[in-house]
Amino acid sequence: MVENKIKSDTSEEVKPRSVRVVLMALMIAMLLAMLDNMIIGTAMPTIVGELGGLEHLSWVVTAYTLATAASTPIWGKIGDMYGRKGSFLTSIVIFLVGSALSGMAQDMGQLIGFRAIQGLGAGGLMVGVMAIIGDLIPPRERGKYQGMMAGVMALAMIGGPLVGGTITDHMGWRWSFYINLPLGAVALAMVTAVLHLPKKTHGAERPKIDYLGAALLTIAITSTVLVTTWGGTEYAWGSAEIIGLIAVGIASTAGFLYAETKAADPVMPLHIFRSRNFTLMSVIGFLVGFAMFGGVLYLPLFQQSVQGASATNSGLLLLPMLLSMMVVSLIAGRITTSSGKYKIFPIVGGALMVVGLFLLATMDTGTTRLMSGVYMAVLGAGLGFLMQITMLVAQNSVEMKDMGVASSSATLFRTLGGSFGVALMGSLFTSQVTSTMTDRLGPEAAAKAGSAQLDAASLAKLPEVVRDAYQHAVAAGTHSAFLLGAGIAVLGFAAAWFVKEVPLRGAGPAGASGGGGSAKSEVAPEAAVMH
């Protein structure tokens, strides 16, 4: 069994078979959380065709995203307070209940509500995976498993649209949700049987739940996600609705920060941000989310609209970026494990992310698929250096008792970064497409040509002059979006230079003793001992 098998930070002992079984279960849970939106995206046209409610379509995704983001830090704190295993199993059960109910939905209102339940569970899946890995495997050894996590991410992004299309065509859209049930049941059984973590002991005093902090944080996250989701699409950026949400977000954030200084057991202890490395990793994680989600959204759109690729294989269009990310993540993890050094990776990753986004910004109507593939591979390499290193260093920068909130905070900042990336890049993209179409065709013809969401099949039916204008417009929009991404990524590259090379726990004798002097300045002594 896993229990107490990994007590020391030397970690050269052979991991028991049950650790590998637990890791397999964790990867299944991680796949569930990441695969869901990818599959549902492909099934959405069929869902709308059967249930109606086209005007509420965006809420099917928004409800899930909101619930996931808002519950993420709360799941992390619950795991820290009451035990990781129980909170993780609970999140899986909630996710599966939400999946089953979503599959049985009879109208769009029910589907939106059930998706919110599913999102509540999903918030605990990713946090649970990261925090349990943090409990079981010392940071020095954790690098070995980076490639596995990057591989699961790549599998979700590539396979999601393909699986979603296949299930919808042959089994019906409801199975896009039901497919989660057998996978989740396997993960539940494996975790229940073989995961054994030290029980949480609180002495005479039971921990007090920070209800006020949790409520204020939920309001702050909800308003932020709604601003980035609705701004420039549902409502104009200067509208009363968006301004009101921004005001609510600022007020609730200020209230949350004040409440956390007074709470006996805060839902997100502010002392974790005293660690320079943790704060820097939160910033870099935000920027990684910004770049990655923007790239995942606009690269397929460019290749379908400008390069004439099929929408059916949209996941495969990202293969150069995802394979590069997976391979580089695996190599970086191995080097981290063998050397204990990691500072160079955020710096190199930040530089490659800037270069990759800038190269993508140079694409135009004459760019070949080969060249765009090379540019994507450069961006993927940058993300590969950053994706798992940010989580590893964040977890290494806090005490073991704060592992859950550290994992949830890092996950939350990446999620919010993705939200901001999609919103800001999307607003710039749409504005540029509209402007270019108007310049080339005039206002009336541009309006008739439609929005910036035409696929290759629809484009083929347009007159040549309209099609040419639209392709140039999409290229111009892509240029603006990725240029913004490159500018934002420069901040991540700059932040990486300030990362402090604190020895990873488990890094031989030094790690076992607390990581030496430099480690002690960054992490409290008890943080250098695994449970």
Side-chain angles (χ1 to χ4, degrees):
M1 289 299 177
V2 177
E3 187 173 16
N4 295 329
K5 284 284 185 180
I6 311 172
K7 286 185 176 179
S8 70
D9 282 342
T10 58
S11 292
E12 292 302 321
E13 59 189 273
V14 178
K15 301 291 189 298
R17 174 178 167 273
S18 53
V19 171
R20 294 193 293 272
V21 176
V22 169
L23 285 172
M24 190 182 301
L26 296 179
M27 293 305 107
I28 292 173
M30 185 176 172
L31 184 63
L32 282 174
M34 300 196 65
L35 198 59
D36 193 73
N37 265 340
M38 298 290 176
I39 290 179
I40 301 310
T42 314
M44 280 313 299
T46 307
I47 293 174
V48 171
E50 182 172 327
L51 298 183
L54 179 62
E55 68 276 14
H56 304 304
L57 174 65
S58 63
W59 271 103
V60 176
V61 175
T62 303
Y64 180 90
T65 306
L66 271 178
T68 301
S71 64
T72 291
I74 297 171
W75 280 115
K77 185 61 179 178
I78 289 173
D80 284 341
M81 292 171 68
Y82 297 108
R84 209 83 65 208
K85 180 176 179 177
S87 65
F88 185 55
L89 290 174
T90 303
S91 69
I92 295 177
V93 170
I94 293 174
F95 181 83
L96 295 182
V97 169
S99 298
L101 291 173
S102 296
M104 294 186 284
Q106 298 301 308
D107 57 51
M108 193 60 81
Q110 287 183 12
L111 181 60
I112 291 168
F114 296 150
R115 284 282 284 166
I117 295 174
Q118 197 182 16
L120 284 175
L125 291 182
M126 287 295 289
V127 175
V129 169
M130 297 302 176
I132 290 171
I133 288 176
D135 271 351
L136 292 179
I137 304 168
R140 176 70 178 261
E141 294 295 299
R142 218 170 291 156
K144 291 179 181 178
Y145 304 97
Q146 287 182 18
M148 186 188 300
M149 288 184 275
V152 169
M153 182 176 296
L155 180 63
M157 289 181 176
I158 296 171
L162 297 175
V163 172
T166 303
I167 288 175
T168 303
D169 289 342
H170 296 93
M171 302 172 68
W173 66 265
R174 295 182 186 278
W175 279 96
S176 297
F177 297 104
Y178 293 152
I179 192 69
N180 293 327
L181 302 181
L183 286 173
V186 170
L188 267 178
M190 293 168 73
V191 170
T192 302
V194 299
L195 177 61
H196 298 274
L197 295 171
K199 297 201 180 292
K200 298 287 181 180
T201 54
H202 303 289
E205 286 190 23
R206 290 186 60 80
K208 296 179 181 178
I209 298 176
D210 179 17
Y211 291 108
L212 177 61
L216 289 170
L217 181 60
T218 300
I219 294 170
I221 292 170
T222 300
S223 55
T224 301
V225 172
L226 286 178
V227 165
T228 57
T229 303
W230 284 348
T233 53
E234 295 283 328
Y235 304 101
W237 283 105
S239 66
E241 290 84 357
I242 297 300
I243 298 299
L245 282 171
I246 291 173
V248 170
I250 292 173
S252 54
T253 299
F256 167 73
L257 293 175
Y258 177 77
E260 295 307 89
T261 63
K262 304 297 183 183
D265 201 349
V267 68
M268 185 184 289
L270 300 184
H271 67 77
I272 61 177
F273 293 98
R274 292 177 191 157
S275 162
R276 183 171 78 188
N277 273 6
F278 183 84
T279 303
L280 288 171
M281 287 303 123
S282 298
V283 171
I284 294 171
F286 179 92
L287 299 173
V288 166
F290 192 106
M292 186 179 73
F293 286 101
V296 167
L297 181 61
Y298 292 105
L299 281 169
L301 182 58
F302 175 85
Q303 291 192 301
Q304 290 173 39
S305 301
V306 179
Q307 297 179 328
S310 166
T312 306
N313 298 321
S314 57
L316 295 176
L317 301 175
L318 299 172
L319 201 55
M321 183 176 85
L322 297 170
L323 280 179
S324 173
M325 182 177 73
M326 183 170 61
V327 171
V328 169
S329 181
L330 181 60
I331 293 171
R334 291 289 178 178
I335 293 174
T336 301
T337 297
S338 61
S339 69
K341 305 294 185 184
Y342 56 83
K343 180 175 179 176
I344 188 64
F345 296 135
I347 294 173
V348 174
L352 286 174
M353 190 163 72
V354 173
V355 172
L357 288 166
F358 180 77
L359 289 173
L360 290 170
T362 66
M363 295 190 302
D364 56 28
T365 54
T367 304
T368 64
R369 289 194 196 181
L370 175 62
M371 288 310 299
S372 60
V374 171
Y375 299 162
M376 281 191 280
V378 174
L379 175 60
L383 293 173
F385 279 120
L386 292 167
M387 284 295 296
Q388 307 304 332
I389 287 291
T390 52
M391 180 63 74
L392 187 155
V393 177
Q395 291 179 333
N396 191 61
S397 303
V398 300
E399 300 177 29
M400 287 300 298
K401 68 183 180 67
D402 291 324
M403 184 65 71
V405 291
S407 303
S408 63
S409 298
T411 303
L412 175 63
F413 280 110
R414 189 178 297 175
T415 302
L416 292 178
S419 231
F420 274 91
V422 169
L424 297 180
M425 291 171 80
S427 180
L428 195 60
F429 176 86
T430 303
S431 172
Q432 189 62 47
V433 168
T434 304
S435 173
T436 305
M437 289 284 283
T438 302
D439 289 344
R440 284 178 168 264
L441 299 175
E444 291 184 14
K448 285 181 182 178
S451 68
Q453 303 297 328
L454 296 176
D455 58 22
S458 303
L459 276 172
K461 299 174 184 176
L462 295 176
E464 186 174 347
V465 63
V466 177
R467 182 168 63 249
D468 181 68
Y470 181 75
Q471 289 176 336
H472 277 86
V474 170
T478 305
H479 167 79
S480 298
F482 283 120
L483 203 58
L484 170 66
I488 294 293
V490 169
L491 299 176
F493 174 65
W497 286 94
F498 295 95
V499 173
K500 188 177 182 181
E501 186 95 78
V502 178
L504 295 173
R505 297 195 289 273
S513 63
S518 63
K520 289 176 184 176
S521 66
E522 188 72 26
V523 188
E526 59 265 38
V529 181
M530 293 294 295
H531 285 326

